[in-house]
């Protein structure tokens, strides 16, 4: 109960009404001089822009002079863009190497405080890389730890991005790790397992009650190649189970993210009315058409499937290559058909020391323009999160989340890996002098 009361207070602080009640003169004014501006919405750039920030909000953007007495940040040699949004992260995963115990060791041997300490570092890494907002899609056995990390960020105890959290995630019996242990031994599971619509709805209620902003559902589990060499994955929840969750979550005014690789789990996810498809490895024309019709978001996480491949001549190795092979064309099909796409990296699945922005070149390789890719990580993602006009845009009234890179990301999206300036909520977190 206490947690929820606190959340409401934070929400209140973000509202215009509360801000208006505060005398404008009491808030510090900062001006950013932007050499090139990508505002997150517009298809073209502007040069030599002055961004006026009062408190934690952008007040104006234009070519005018800085107001007297304002603190000036000179980014006239840089490209300035909105703070980026990663819509698929796991702060409670650290890209565990199989040689160090892989996924399982985290649930079996690591004290929760140890995992929380690492999550604190992960949150900081997101911000350092210019990702000022993340949607963290489940804690992998760390319970409601994400709600705690989010709270610590919001209270200014630790540096980190704005967080939309989904707590424990939901799958079915036989539908999630840990697996492969003797049946007599009870091992922890990386998600909350349910069977039947009643349990499904109850799990969603529990997670929402305890702070979930989104509910994450695994609609497929594992993947392998069948005799014909096609990618397969095991469907988990039934349509009825998913519908119970979606109905409950939508009643709370929240949304459902569905991990889905292939049919039939993919089809159930779409028929069940999920709000975002995570990964979406194999999207046929029918799936893409249904996503367009229903307004379903795609959060692709392409780069993650190029990271770690088992040896080529093994079943797992062939599977790993096939996943990457089908993903690109699926993404291309979705871009072409006009599916709404939000940038997601699945960082945590790989090390937080790797660049999150390594996803951008894959998006461009498979059919997006660099500007579309940037918008998927700014205004589009903000729209998915219900924060249109507040996040992912540099415009009057938006929250002052601003980053800068020294090169031109429209020529080479890889420069987004090297963010030189990060402001979140009007406060400068990182400021390296961009090279001229
Ligand atoms: Zn993930």
């Amino acid at each position: 109960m206490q947690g929820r009361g606190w959340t409401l207070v934070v929400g209140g602080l973000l509202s215009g009404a509360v801000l208006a009640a505060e005398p404008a003169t009491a808030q510090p004014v900062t001006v950013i001089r932007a050499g090139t501006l990508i505002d997150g919405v517009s298809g073209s750039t502007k040069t030599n822009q002055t961004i006026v920030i009062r408190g934690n909000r952008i007040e104006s953007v234009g070519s005018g002079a800085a107001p007297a007495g304002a603190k000036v940040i000179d980014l006239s040699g840089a490209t300035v863009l909105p703070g980026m949004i990663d819509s698929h992260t796991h702060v409670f995963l650290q890209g565990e190497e199989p040689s160090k115990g892989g996924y399982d060791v985290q649930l079996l041997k690591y004290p929760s405080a140890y995992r929380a300490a690492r999550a604190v570092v992960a949150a900081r890494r997101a911000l350092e890389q210019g990702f000022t907002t993340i949607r963290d899609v489940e804690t992998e056995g760390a319970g409601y730890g994400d709600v705690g990390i989010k709270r610590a960020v919001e209270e200014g105890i630790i540096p980190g991005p704005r967080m939309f959290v989904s707590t424990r995630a939901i799958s079915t019996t036989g539908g999630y790790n840990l697996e492969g242990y003797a049946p007599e031994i009870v091992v922890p599971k990386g998600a909350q397992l349910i069977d039947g619509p009643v349990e499904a709805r109850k799990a969603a209620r529990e997670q929402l009650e305890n702070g979930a902003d989104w509910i994450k559902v695994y609609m497929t589990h594992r993947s392998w190649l069948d005799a014909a060499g096609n990618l397969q994955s095991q469907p988990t929840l039934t349509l009825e189970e998913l519908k119970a969750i979606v109905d409950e979550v939508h009643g709370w005014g929240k949304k459902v993210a569905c991990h889905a690789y292939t049919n039939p789990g993919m089809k159930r996810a779409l028929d069940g009315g999920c709000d975002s498809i995570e990964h979406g490895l194999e999207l046929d024309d029918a799936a893409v058409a249904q996503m367009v019709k229903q307004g379903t978001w795609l959060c692709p996480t392409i780069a993650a499937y190029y990271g770690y491949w088992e040896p080529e001549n093994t079943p797992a190795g062939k599977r790993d290559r096939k996943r990457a092979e089908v993903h690109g064309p699926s993404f291309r099909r979705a871009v072409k058909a006009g599916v709404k796409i939000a940038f997601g990296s699945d960082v945590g699945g790989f090390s937080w020391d790797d660049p999150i922005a390594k996803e951008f070149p894959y998006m461009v390789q498979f059919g997006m323009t660099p500007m579309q890719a940037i918008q998927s990580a700014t205004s589009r993602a903000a729209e998915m999160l219900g924060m249109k006009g507040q996040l992912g845009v540099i415009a009057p009234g938006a929250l002052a989340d601003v980053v800068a890179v020294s090169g031109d990301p429209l020529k080479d999206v890889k420069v987004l890996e090297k963010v030189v300036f990060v402001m979140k909520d009007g406060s400068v977190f990182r400021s390296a002098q961009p090279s001229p």
Side-chain angles (χ1 to χ4, degrees), residues 2-19:
Q2 199 183 0
R4 239 187 312 153
W6 163 82
T7 303
L8 284 172
V9 170
V10 170
L13 281 177
L14 296 179
S15 84
V18 173
L19 272 180

Side-chain angles (χ1 to χ4, degrees), residues 88-90 93 137-138 140 216 218 259 278-279 301 346-347 349:
H88 191 123
T89 67
H90 299 280
L93 285 183
V137 281
E138 88 125 319
E140 311 285 356
K216 166 83 176 286
Y218 286 91
H259 167 114
E278 305 303 304
H279 318 301
T301 77
D346 215 356
V347 59

Side-chain angles (χ1 to χ4, degrees), residues 216-239:
K216 166 83 176 286
V217 179
Y218 286 91
M219 289 305 292
T220 63
H221 178 52
R222 307 186 297 126
S223 58
W224 64 91
L225 297 188
D226 65 15
N230 296 314
L231 186 68
Q232 301 289 348
S233 60
Q234 167 197 331
T236 52
L237 282 76
T238 63
L239 186 55

Side-chain angles (χ1 to χ4, degrees), residues 25 27 40 57 59 69 83 141 154 169 185 203 206-207 228 231 258 272 291 315-316 324 352 375 379 383 389-390 411:
T25 48
Q27 297 181 327
R57 295 263 172 191
E59 188 172 80
E154 286 185 351
I185 299 172
E206 278 177 19
Q207 295 182 9
L231 186 68
C258 285
M291 291 177 80
W352 284 88
Q375 289 174 352
S379 60
E383 192 187 324
Q390 304 290 303
K411 284 212 181 90

Side-chain angles (χ1 to χ4, degrees), residues 167-183:
T167 72
R168 300 179 62 192
I170 298 171
S171 191
T172 54
T173 296
Y176 211 71
N177 303 320
L178 306 179
E179 295 179 317
Y181 293 86

